Amino acid sequence: MKRVHLLAPLLLAALSLTPALAQGAAATPATPAAEGARTVEAVTANSSKGYSIRVPAGWIPLKNVPGADVAFINRDAGTVRPTVTVQVQDVDPKLKATLADFRDLFASQLSKEVPKFKMLGEKTIKLGSTPAILWTYLGDGEGGMVRWTQVFTVKNNRLFTATLVQPSGTTPEQIEEGRAILTSLTLK
């Protein structure tokens, strides 16, 4: 089976990238403009890879994040900022890999690839009618302790992984916005 890479190192590298529209997704304003002034409360990124995700104002797209279909970073924090990415990987149909297979693969990698790894929680959820796994874990990152929240699922021979990275110092408002981004993930 092709090795599936975790997003932790990828996301930490992405924090230093210049903001721009992420490749592979088109941004569409989600709310109408106010009288006389254009106010965008959120955008919906629609991907040709079979999903959409809603991102509130204050989160800006990153361009050329390796392995990510789209990536967004919160602009309101200091040097280390919360980040959301969506990664889409095609899965060879011959493998007949299930969500449980990917869950087991990811779980076996976490303790090896995340220093001071600690699982905080895991549960099975639904993205529309598709079963998904949501988990939260802690570990060491470049700037100290980092909290990751991930949701992943398999649909139409594609593995979808959405990740929220919350470095130390992430505000409760940023955490809430990041979680809302993850839960807005809609598969097509």
Side-chain angles (χ1 to χ4, degrees), residues 25 86 121 133 138 141 157 180:
V86 178
I133 294 179
L138 288 174
N157 295 315

Side-chain angles (χ1 to χ4, degrees), residues 33 41 101 135 180:
E41 293 178 16
D101 294 331
W135 57 16

Side-chain angles (χ1 to χ4, degrees), residues 19-23 25-27 61-64 72:
L21 184 60
Q23 290 182 327
L62 294 171
K63 186 176 181 179
N64 299 327
F72 296 89

Side-chain angles (χ1 to χ4, degrees), residues 75-115:
R75 76 171 106 201
D76 295 330
T79 57
V80 179
R81 301 182 289 183
T83 307
V84 172
T85 63
V86 178
Q87 182 179 26
V88 181
Q89 296 171 303
D90 290 323
V91 178
D92 186 343
K94 294 175 190 171
L95 294 177
K96 297 183 181 179
T98 66
L99 181 59
D101 294 331
F102 286 108
R103 184 251 171 249
D104 293 345
L105 176 63
F106 287 168
S108 70
Q109 291 176 332
L110 284 173
S111 61
K112 297 173 190 169
E113 296 186 23
V114 178

